[in-house]
Amino acid sequence: GTALATTASSNPDPNLISREQFTSVLMSQLDHVTPLSCQKLFSTFDPTGIGRLNHLSFSCTLMSIHRPSMNNLTSGNYHYCRDYVKSVTVLSRCISVVERGRGGVTVNGLKMILKGCSLKAEDRRAIDIQVDQISSVLKRPFEKFSRPIMMSEDEILGQNGLLIRNSFILDVFQEQLLHMQHEVSERQGAIKRA
């Protein structure tokens, strides 16, 4: 994630990375990876073939696949949302990647994080609609915003955070997260058996 962000920072849009940059970073960071496997992975995240992918979205997807350690799950940080502790732990890691020291994420950044493990277009659309509905209350009347609203991790996941108060979004995210983790485990098992 960090190497991708560093490489992308020199691009006109520091969130996007080219196929060549992606392949170069992965080849330099990972053992036993081939240029062909890098190309296939890139194409998975660039289904329209524009030749660029959002490295933040890619990083969030990778974090969704990686299951949190038991230490993270039992640390007590999220005692107020016991039913969602696995999801909230993943979301917390994703927020820290997307905010990149800016003190928060925008509504669009939150949507990207929540869609990180969506396997279907209809699930991504549902997340967009749900986040738009709850974020509309963030817009204060008679106030003109010159820049997007930034939400801190606490404002999103804290005890009175936006997603904690609107847990129906966490229900959707958790279902998608568990489904994605199950799919990855199944495919890893099939590869090991082969």
Short mmCIF file of all heavy atoms in Angstrom, two decimals, residues 6-67:
data_model
loop_
_atom_site.label_atom_id
_atom_site.label_comp_id
_atom_site.label_asym_id
_atom_site.label_seq_id
_atom_site.Cartn_x
_atom_site.Cartn_y
_atom_site.Cartn_z
N THR A 6 3.29 6.02 -2.64
CA THR A 6 4.49 6.81 -2.95
C THR A 6 4.66 6.96 -4.45
O THR A 6 4.93 8.06 -4.96
CB THR A 6 5.74 6.15 -2.34
OG1 THR A 6 5.55 6.04 -0.93
CG2 THR A 6 6.99 6.95 -2.63
N THR A 7 4.49 5.87 -5.19
CA THR A 7 4.61 5.91 -6.65
C THR A 7 3.53 6.80 -7.26
O THR A 7 3.81 7.60 -8.14
CB THR A 7 4.53 4.48 -7.23
OG1 THR A 7 5.58 3.71 -6.67
CG2 THR A 7 4.64 4.49 -8.74
N ALA A 8 2.30 6.66 -6.79
CA ALA A 8 1.18 7.43 -7.35
C ALA A 8 1.28 8.91 -7.02
O ALA A 8 0.71 9.74 -7.74
CB ALA A 8 -0.14 6.87 -6.84
N SER A 9 1.98 9.27 -5.95
CA SER A 9 2.05 10.68 -5.53
C SER A 9 2.65 11.60 -6.59
O SER A 9 2.39 12.80 -6.59
CB SER A 9 2.81 10.82 -4.21
OG SER A 9 4.17 10.49 -4.41
N SER A 10 3.43 11.05 -7.51
CA SER A 10 4.02 11.88 -8.57
C SER A 10 3.10 12.03 -9.79
O SER A 10 3.42 12.76 -10.71
CB SER A 10 5.37 11.28 -9.00
OG SER A 10 5.16 10.00 -9.57
N ASN A 11 1.98 11.35 -9.77
CA ASN A 11 1.03 11.42 -10.89
C ASN A 11 0.14 12.65 -10.77
O ASN A 11 -0.05 13.17 -9.67
CB ASN A 11 0.15 10.16 -10.92
CG ASN A 11 0.93 8.91 -11.24
OD1 ASN A 11 2.01 8.98 -11.83
ND2 ASN A 11 0.41 7.77 -10.85
N PRO A 12 -0.45 13.11 -11.89
CA PRO A 12 -1.38 14.25 -11.82
C PRO A 12 -2.52 14.01 -10.83
O PRO A 12 -2.92 14.91 -10.11
CB PRO A 12 -1.91 14.37 -13.25
CG PRO A 12 -0.85 13.76 -14.10
CD PRO A 12 -0.23 12.67 -13.26
N ASP A 13 -3.06 12.79 -10.80
CA ASP A 13 -4.05 12.41 -9.78
C ASP A 13 -3.35 11.40 -8.87
O ASP A 13 -3.13 10.26 -9.25
CB ASP A 13 -5.29 11.78 -10.41
CG ASP A 13 -6.37 11.44 -9.39
OD1 ASP A 13 -6.04 11.32 -8.18
OD2 ASP A 13 -7.53 11.28 -9.79
N PRO A 14 -3.00 11.82 -7.64
CA PRO A 14 -2.22 10.94 -6.75
C PRO A 14 -2.99 9.73 -6.23
O PRO A 14 -2.42 8.93 -5.50
CB PRO A 14 -1.83 11.87 -5.61
CG PRO A 14 -2.83 12.96 -5.62
CD PRO A 14 -3.27 13.12 -7.05
N ASN A 15 -4.24 9.57 -6.61
CA ASN A 15 -5.00 8.38 -6.23
C ASN A 15 -4.91 7.29 -7.29
O ASN A 15 -5.24 6.14 -7.02
CB ASN A 15 -6.47 8.71 -5.99
CG ASN A 15 -6.66 9.61 -4.79
OD1 ASN A 15 -5.91 9.54 -3.84
ND2 ASN A 15 -7.64 10.49 -4.86
N LEU A 16 -4.50 7.66 -8.49
CA LEU A 16 -4.47 6.71 -9.60
C LEU A 16 -3.06 6.25 -9.91
O LEU A 16 -2.11 7.03 -9.80
CB LEU A 16 -5.09 7.33 -10.86
CG LEU A 16 -6.54 7.76 -10.77
CD1 LEU A 16 -7.00 8.39 -12.07
CD2 LEU A 16 -7.43 6.59 -10.39
N ILE A 17 -2.94 4.99 -10.31
CA ILE A 17 -1.66 4.42 -10.66
C ILE A 17 -1.82 3.69 -12.00
O ILE A 17 -2.86 3.08 -12.25
CB ILE A 17 -1.13 3.50 -9.53
CG1 ILE A 17 0.32 3.13 -9.76
CG2 ILE A 17 -2.00 2.29 -9.33
CD1 ILE A 17 1.01 2.61 -8.50
N SER A 18 -0.80 3.78 -12.83
CA SER A 18 -0.87 3.14 -14.14
C SER A 18 -0.53 1.65 -14.04
O SER A 18 0.02 1.19 -13.04
CB SER A 18 0.10 3.82 -15.12
OG SER A 18 1.44 3.49 -14.76
N ARG A 19 -0.84 0.93 -15.08
CA ARG A 19 -0.55 -0.50 -15.15
C ARG A 19 0.96 -0.75 -15.00
O ARG A 19 1.39 -1.64 -14.28
CB ARG A 19 -1.04 -1.05 -16.49
CG ARG A 19 -0.79 -2.54 -16.69
CD ARG A 19 -1.29 -3.01 -18.04
NE ARG A 19 -2.73 -2.93 -18.15
CZ ARG A 19 -3.58 -3.89 -17.79
NH1 ARG A 19 -3.12 -5.01 -17.30
NH2 ARG A 19 -4.88 -3.73 -17.92
N GLU A 20 1.76 0.07 -15.67
CA GLU A 20 3.21 -0.08 -15.61
C GLU A 20 3.73 0.18 -14.19
O GLU A 20 4.59 -0.55 -13.68
CB GLU A 20 3.90 0.85 -16.61
CG GLU A 20 3.62 0.52 -18.06
CD GLU A 20 2.23 0.96 -18.53
OE1 GLU A 20 1.63 1.90 -17.95
OE2 GLU A 20 1.71 0.34 -19.48
N GLN A 21 3.23 1.25 -13.57
CA GLN A 21 3.65 1.56 -12.20
C GLN A 21 3.24 0.45 -11.24
O GLN A 21 4.02 0.06 -10.38
CB GLN A 21 3.03 2.89 -11.75
CG GLN A 21 3.60 4.10 -12.46
CD GLN A 21 2.81 5.36 -12.13
OE1 GLN A 21 1.57 5.34 -12.06
NE2 GLN A 21 3.53 6.46 -11.92
N PHE A 22 2.03 -0.03 -11.39
CA PHE A 22 1.50 -1.09 -10.54
C PHE A 22 2.39 -2.34 -10.64
O PHE A 22 2.80 -2.91 -9.64
CB PHE A 22 0.07 -1.41 -10.97
CG PHE A 22 -0.62 -2.48 -10.19
CD1 PHE A 22 -1.22 -2.20 -8.97
CD2 PHE A 22 -0.67 -3.79 -10.68
CE1 PHE A 22 -1.87 -3.19 -8.25
CE2 PHE A 22 -1.32 -4.78 -9.96
CZ PHE A 22 -1.92 -4.49 -8.74
N THR A 23 2.67 -2.74 -11.86
CA THR A 23 3.49 -3.93 -12.09
C THR A 23 4.88 -3.74 -11.50
O THR A 23 5.41 -4.63 -10.83
CB THR A 23 3.57 -4.25 -13.59
OG1 THR A 23 2.24 -4.46 -14.08
CG2 THR A 23 4.41 -5.48 -13.87
N SER A 24 5.47 -2.57 -11.73
CA SER A 24 6.81 -2.29 -11.22
C SER A 24 6.86 -2.36 -9.69
O SER A 24 7.77 -2.97 -9.11
CB SER A 24 7.26 -0.90 -11.70
OG SER A 24 8.48 -0.56 -11.13
N VAL A 25 5.88 -1.77 -9.03
CA VAL A 25 5.84 -1.78 -7.56
C VAL A 25 5.67 -3.19 -7.04
O VAL A 25 6.40 -3.63 -6.14
CB VAL A 25 4.72 -0.85 -7.02
CG1 VAL A 25 4.49 -1.08 -5.53
CG2 VAL A 25 5.05 0.60 -7.29
N LEU A 26 4.72 -3.93 -7.59
CA LEU A 26 4.50 -5.30 -7.11
C LEU A 26 5.71 -6.18 -7.35
O LEU A 26 6.08 -6.97 -6.48
CB LEU A 26 3.25 -5.90 -7.76
CG LEU A 26 1.98 -5.82 -6.92
CD1 LEU A 26 1.63 -4.43 -6.48
CD2 LEU A 26 0.84 -6.50 -7.60
N MET A 27 6.34 -6.05 -8.50
CA MET A 27 7.53 -6.85 -8.80
C MET A 27 8.67 -6.53 -7.83
O MET A 27 9.42 -7.43 -7.45
CB MET A 27 7.99 -6.62 -10.25
CG MET A 27 7.01 -7.09 -11.30
SD MET A 27 6.86 -8.87 -11.42
CE MET A 27 8.48 -9.32 -11.95
N SER A 28 8.77 -5.27 -7.41
CA SER A 28 9.86 -4.90 -6.50
C SER A 28 9.56 -5.25 -5.04
O SER A 28 10.47 -5.39 -4.23
CB SER A 28 10.16 -3.40 -6.61
OG SER A 28 9.09 -2.64 -6.08
N GLN A 29 8.28 -5.42 -4.70
CA GLN A 29 7.89 -5.64 -3.32
C GLN A 29 7.60 -7.10 -2.97
O GLN A 29 7.66 -7.48 -1.81
CB GLN A 29 6.64 -4.81 -2.98
CG GLN A 29 6.83 -3.32 -3.11
CD GLN A 29 7.72 -2.76 -2.01
OE1 GLN A 29 7.54 -3.09 -0.85
NE2 GLN A 29 8.70 -1.97 -2.39
N LEU A 30 7.24 -7.90 -3.95
CA LEU A 30 6.79 -9.26 -3.68
C LEU A 30 7.68 -10.30 -4.36
O LEU A 30 8.03 -10.15 -5.53
CB LEU A 30 5.34 -9.45 -4.16
CG LEU A 30 4.30 -8.52 -3.56
CD1 LEU A 30 2.97 -8.69 -4.28
CD2 LEU A 30 4.15 -8.76 -2.08
N ASP A 31 8.03 -11.31 -3.62
CA ASP A 31 8.77 -12.44 -4.20
C ASP A 31 7.78 -13.35 -4.92
O ASP A 31 6.61 -13.41 -4.58
CB ASP A 31 9.46 -13.25 -3.09
CG ASP A 31 10.54 -12.45 -2.39
OD1 ASP A 31 11.11 -11.53 -3.02
OD2 ASP A 31 10.81 -12.74 -1.20
N HIS A 32 8.25 -14.06 -5.89
CA HIS A 32 7.48 -15.10 -6.59
C HIS A 32 6.27 -14.55 -7.34
O HIS A 32 5.31 -15.27 -7.56
CB HIS A 32 7.04 -16.22 -5.64
CG HIS A 32 8.15 -16.76 -4.81
ND1 HIS A 32 9.22 -17.45 -5.34
CD2 HIS A 32 8.38 -16.69 -3.48
CE1 HIS A 32 10.04 -17.79 -4.38
NE2 HIS A 32 9.58 -17.33 -3.24
N VAL A 33 6.29 -13.30 -7.70
CA VAL A 33 5.20 -12.75 -8.50
C VAL A 33 5.74 -12.53 -9.92
O VAL A 33 6.90 -12.16 -10.10
CB VAL A 33 4.62 -11.45 -7.88
CG1 VAL A 33 5.62 -10.31 -7.92
CG2 VAL A 33 3.34 -11.04 -8.55
N THR A 34 4.92 -12.82 -10.90
CA THR A 34 5.35 -12.68 -12.29
C THR A 34 4.70 -11.44 -12.90
O THR A 34 3.65 -10.99 -12.43
CB THR A 34 4.94 -13.92 -13.11
OG1 THR A 34 3.50 -13.96 -13.18
CG2 THR A 34 5.48 -15.20 -12.49
N PRO A 35 5.30 -10.92 -13.95
CA PRO A 35 4.66 -9.79 -14.64
C PRO A 35 3.24 -10.14 -15.12
O PRO A 35 2.34 -9.31 -15.04
CB PRO A 35 5.59 -9.50 -15.83
CG PRO A 35 6.92 -10.02 -15.39
CD PRO A 35 6.62 -11.21 -14.52
N LEU A 36 3.05 -11.38 -15.58
CA LEU A 36 1.73 -11.80 -16.05
C LEU A 36 0.71 -11.77 -14.91
O LEU A 36 -0.42 -11.29 -15.08
CB LEU A 36 1.79 -13.19 -16.67
CG LEU A 36 0.46 -13.73 -17.21
CD1 LEU A 36 -0.09 -12.82 -18.30
CD2 LEU A 36 0.65 -15.15 -17.74
N SER A 37 1.09 -12.25 -13.72
CA SER A 37 0.14 -12.23 -12.60
C SER A 37 -0.17 -10.80 -12.17
O SER A 37 -1.30 -10.49 -11.80
CB SER A 37 0.66 -13.06 -11.42
OG SER A 37 1.88 -12.56 -10.94
N CYS A 38 0.80 -9.90 -12.26
CA CYS A 38 0.55 -8.48 -11.96
C CYS A 38 -0.42 -7.88 -12.97
O CYS A 38 -1.33 -7.13 -12.59
CB CYS A 38 1.86 -7.69 -11.99
SG CYS A 38 3.01 -8.07 -10.66
N GLN A 39 -0.24 -8.23 -14.24
CA GLN A 39 -1.13 -7.74 -15.29
C GLN A 39 -2.56 -8.23 -15.08
O GLN A 39 -3.52 -7.47 -15.22
CB GLN A 39 -0.62 -8.18 -16.68
CG GLN A 39 0.74 -7.62 -17.06
CD GLN A 39 0.71 -6.12 -17.29
OE1 GLN A 39 -0.26 -5.58 -17.80
NE2 GLN A 39 1.78 -5.46 -16.92
N LYS A 40 -2.70 -9.50 -14.73
CA LYS A 40 -4.03 -10.06 -14.49
C LYS A 40 -4.69 -9.40 -13.29
O LYS A 40 -5.89 -9.09 -13.32
CB LYS A 40 -3.94 -11.57 -14.27
CG LYS A 40 -3.68 -12.35 -15.53
CD LYS A 40 -3.62 -13.84 -15.25
CE LYS A 40 -3.38 -14.64 -16.50
NZ LYS A 40 -3.34 -16.08 -16.23
N LEU A 41 -3.93 -9.19 -12.22
CA LEU A 41 -4.47 -8.54 -11.02
C LEU A 41 -4.91 -7.12 -11.35
O LEU A 41 -6.00 -6.69 -10.96
CB LEU A 41 -3.43 -8.55 -9.90
CG LEU A 41 -3.87 -7.97 -8.56
CD1 LEU A 41 -5.08 -8.72 -8.00
CD2 LEU A 41 -2.70 -8.02 -7.58
N PHE A 42 -4.09 -6.39 -12.08
CA PHE A 42 -4.44 -5.03 -12.47
C PHE A 42 -5.74 -5.03 -13.28
O PHE A 42 -6.63 -4.22 -13.03
CB PHE A 42 -3.31 -4.39 -13.28
CG PHE A 42 -3.54 -2.95 -13.61
CD1 PHE A 42 -3.06 -1.96 -12.76
CD2 PHE A 42 -4.26 -2.56 -14.73
CE1 PHE A 42 -3.28 -0.61 -13.04
CE2 PHE A 42 -4.48 -1.23 -15.02
CZ PHE A 42 -3.99 -0.25 -14.18
N SER A 43 -5.84 -5.93 -14.24
CA SER A 43 -7.04 -6.00 -15.08
C SER A 43 -8.30 -6.29 -14.27
O SER A 43 -9.38 -5.81 -14.60
CB SER A 43 -6.86 -7.06 -16.17
OG SER A 43 -5.84 -6.68 -17.06
N THR A 44 -8.16 -7.05 -13.19
CA THR A 44 -9.29 -7.33 -12.32
C THR A 44 -9.84 -6.04 -11.71
O THR A 44 -11.04 -5.88 -11.56
CB THR A 44 -8.87 -8.30 -11.19
OG1 THR A 44 -8.40 -9.51 -11.79
CG2 THR A 44 -10.02 -8.60 -10.25
N PHE A 45 -8.93 -5.12 -11.38
CA PHE A 45 -9.34 -3.86 -10.77
C PHE A 45 -9.54 -2.75 -11.79
O PHE A 45 -9.87 -1.63 -11.44
CB PHE A 45 -8.32 -3.43 -9.71
CG PHE A 45 -8.41 -4.26 -8.47
CD1 PHE A 45 -7.70 -5.44 -8.35
CD2 PHE A 45 -9.23 -3.87 -7.42
CE1 PHE A 45 -7.80 -6.21 -7.21
CE2 PHE A 45 -9.33 -4.63 -6.28
CZ PHE A 45 -8.61 -5.81 -6.17
N ASP A 46 -9.34 -3.05 -13.06
CA ASP A 46 -9.54 -2.10 -14.14
C ASP A 46 -10.41 -2.76 -15.22
O ASP A 46 -9.98 -2.96 -16.35
CB ASP A 46 -8.18 -1.67 -14.72
CG ASP A 46 -8.31 -0.67 -15.85
OD1 ASP A 46 -9.30 0.09 -15.88
OD2 ASP A 46 -7.42 -0.66 -16.73
N PRO A 47 -11.66 -3.11 -14.86
CA PRO A 47 -12.50 -3.88 -15.80
C PRO A 47 -12.85 -3.11 -17.08
O PRO A 47 -13.14 -3.73 -18.10
CB PRO A 47 -13.75 -4.20 -14.98
CG PRO A 47 -13.80 -3.16 -13.92
CD PRO A 47 -12.36 -2.79 -13.64
N THR A 48 -12.82 -1.78 -17.03
CA THR A 48 -13.14 -1.01 -18.24
C THR A 48 -11.94 -0.81 -19.13
O THR A 48 -12.07 -0.31 -20.24
CB THR A 48 -13.74 0.37 -17.87
OG1 THR A 48 -12.79 1.07 -17.05
CG2 THR A 48 -15.05 0.22 -17.12
N GLY A 49 -10.75 -1.16 -18.65
CA GLY A 49 -9.54 -1.08 -19.45
C GLY A 49 -9.00 0.32 -19.68
O GLY A 49 -8.37 0.59 -20.70
N ILE A 50 -9.21 1.23 -18.73
CA ILE A 50 -8.71 2.60 -18.91
C ILE A 50 -7.21 2.71 -18.65
O ILE A 50 -6.59 3.71 -18.96
CB ILE A 50 -9.48 3.62 -18.03
CG1 ILE A 50 -9.31 3.31 -16.55
CG2 ILE A 50 -10.93 3.71 -18.43
CD1 ILE A 50 -9.81 4.41 -15.63
N GLY A 51 -6.61 1.67 -18.04
CA GLY A 51 -5.17 1.68 -17.83
C GLY A 51 -4.73 2.35 -16.54
O GLY A 51 -3.54 2.57 -16.31
N ARG A 52 -5.68 2.69 -15.68
CA ARG A 52 -5.36 3.29 -14.38
C ARG A 52 -6.30 2.68 -13.34
O ARG A 52 -7.42 2.34 -13.63
CB ARG A 52 -5.58 4.79 -14.41
CG ARG A 52 -4.73 5.49 -15.45
CD ARG A 52 -4.21 6.80 -14.91
NE ARG A 52 -3.34 7.51 -15.83
CZ ARG A 52 -2.07 7.23 -16.03
NH1 ARG A 52 -1.51 6.26 -15.38
NH2 ARG A 52 -1.34 7.91 -16.88
N LEU A 53 -5.79 2.54 -12.11
CA LEU A 53 -6.66 2.08 -11.03
C LEU A 53 -6.41 2.92 -9.79
O LEU A 53 -5.35 3.52 -9.62
CB LEU A 53 -6.49 0.59 -10.75
CG LEU A 53 -5.23 0.03 -10.12
CD1 LEU A 53 -5.19 0.22 -8.62
CD2 LEU A 53 -5.20 -1.46 -10.39
N ASN A 54 -7.42 2.98 -8.97
CA ASN A 54 -7.33 3.73 -7.72
C ASN A 54 -6.62 2.84 -6.70
O ASN A 54 -7.16 1.83 -6.27
CB ASN A 54 -8.73 4.11 -7.25
CG ASN A 54 -8.70 5.00 -6.03
OD1 ASN A 54 -7.95 4.76 -5.09
ND2 ASN A 54 -9.52 6.02 -6.04
N HIS A 55 -5.40 3.23 -6.34
CA HIS A 55 -4.62 2.38 -5.43
C HIS A 55 -5.23 2.34 -4.03
O HIS A 55 -5.04 1.37 -3.31
CB HIS A 55 -3.15 2.82 -5.39
CG HIS A 55 -2.92 4.13 -4.71
ND1 HIS A 55 -2.74 4.24 -3.36
CD2 HIS A 55 -2.85 5.37 -5.21
CE1 HIS A 55 -2.56 5.51 -3.05
NE2 HIS A 55 -2.62 6.22 -4.15
N LEU A 56 -6.00 3.34 -3.65
CA LEU A 56 -6.66 3.33 -2.34
C LEU A 56 -7.75 2.26 -2.30
O LEU A 56 -7.87 1.52 -1.34
CB LEU A 56 -7.24 4.71 -2.02
CG LEU A 56 -6.24 5.85 -1.93
CD1 LEU A 56 -6.96 7.18 -1.81
CD2 LEU A 56 -5.28 5.65 -0.78
N SER A 57 -8.52 2.19 -3.37
CA SER A 57 -9.55 1.17 -3.47
C SER A 57 -8.94 -0.22 -3.47
O SER A 57 -9.43 -1.13 -2.79
CB SER A 57 -10.37 1.40 -4.74
OG SER A 57 -11.36 0.42 -4.88
N PHE A 58 -7.84 -0.39 -4.19
CA PHE A 58 -7.12 -1.66 -4.22
C PHE A 58 -6.66 -2.04 -2.82
O PHE A 58 -6.85 -3.18 -2.37
CB PHE A 58 -5.93 -1.55 -5.19
CG PHE A 58 -5.04 -2.76 -5.20
CD1 PHE A 58 -5.44 -3.91 -5.86
CD2 PHE A 58 -3.82 -2.74 -4.57
CE1 PHE A 58 -4.61 -5.04 -5.88
CE2 PHE A 58 -2.99 -3.84 -4.59
CZ PHE A 58 -3.39 -5.00 -5.24
N SER A 59 -6.07 -1.08 -2.09
CA SER A 59 -5.59 -1.35 -0.73
C SER A 59 -6.73 -1.72 0.21
O SER A 59 -6.58 -2.62 1.04
CB SER A 59 -4.83 -0.13 -0.18
OG SER A 59 -3.68 0.11 -0.95
N CYS A 60 -7.87 -1.05 0.08
CA CYS A 60 -9.03 -1.36 0.92
C CYS A 60 -9.53 -2.78 0.65
O CYS A 60 -9.91 -3.50 1.58
CB CYS A 60 -10.15 -0.35 0.71
SG CYS A 60 -9.79 1.26 1.43
N THR A 61 -9.51 -3.18 -0.60
CA THR A 61 -9.94 -4.54 -0.94
C THR A 61 -8.99 -5.55 -0.31
O THR A 61 -9.43 -6.54 0.26
CB THR A 61 -10.02 -4.72 -2.46
OG1 THR A 61 -10.97 -3.79 -2.98
CG2 THR A 61 -10.43 -6.13 -2.83
N LEU A 62 -7.69 -5.30 -0.40
CA LEU A 62 -6.73 -6.21 0.22
C LEU A 62 -6.93 -6.30 1.73
O LEU A 62 -6.83 -7.38 2.32
CB LEU A 62 -5.30 -5.79 -0.09
CG LEU A 62 -4.83 -5.98 -1.52
CD1 LEU A 62 -3.37 -5.55 -1.66
CD2 LEU A 62 -5.01 -7.40 -2.00
N MET A 63 -7.21 -5.18 2.36
CA MET A 63 -7.45 -5.19 3.81
C MET A 63 -8.73 -5.93 4.16
O MET A 63 -8.82 -6.51 5.23
CB MET A 63 -7.49 -3.77 4.34
CG MET A 63 -6.14 -3.15 4.40
SD MET A 63 -6.27 -1.53 5.12
CE MET A 63 -4.95 -0.73 4.25
N SER A 64 -9.68 -5.90 3.28
CA SER A 64 -10.93 -6.63 3.52
C SER A 64 -10.72 -8.13 3.47
O SER A 64 -11.36 -8.88 4.18
CB SER A 64 -11.99 -6.22 2.48
OG SER A 64 -12.32 -4.87 2.61
N ILE A 65 -9.81 -8.56 2.62
CA ILE A 65 -9.53 -9.98 2.48
C ILE A 65 -8.80 -10.50 3.71
O ILE A 65 -9.04 -11.60 4.19
CB ILE A 65 -8.71 -10.26 1.21
CG1 ILE A 65 -9.57 -9.95 -0.02
CG2 ILE A 65 -8.20 -11.69 1.18
CD1 ILE A 65 -8.78 -9.94 -1.31
N HIS A 66 -7.90 -9.69 4.25
CA HIS A 66 -7.09 -10.10 5.40
C HIS A 66 -7.94 -10.05 6.66
O HIS A 66 -8.47 -9.01 7.03
CB HIS A 66 -5.88 -9.18 5.55
CG HIS A 66 -5.04 -9.48 6.73
ND1 HIS A 66 -4.23 -10.59 6.79
CD2 HIS A 66 -4.90 -8.84 7.90
CE1 HIS A 66 -3.62 -10.61 7.96
NE2 HIS A 66 -4.01 -9.56 8.64
N ARG A 67 -8.06 -11.17 7.33
CA ARG A 67 -8.87 -11.23 8.55
C ARG A 67 -8.12 -10.58 9.71
O ARG A 67 -6.93 -10.81 9.88
CB ARG A 67 -9.19 -12.68 8.89
CG ARG A 67 -10.07 -13.33 7.86
CD ARG A 67 -10.22 -14.81 8.13
NE ARG A 67 -10.79 -15.46 6.98
CZ ARG A 67 -12.02 -15.93 6.95
NH1 ARG A 67 -12.80 -15.84 7.99
NH2 ARG A 67 -12.49 -16.50 5.86
#
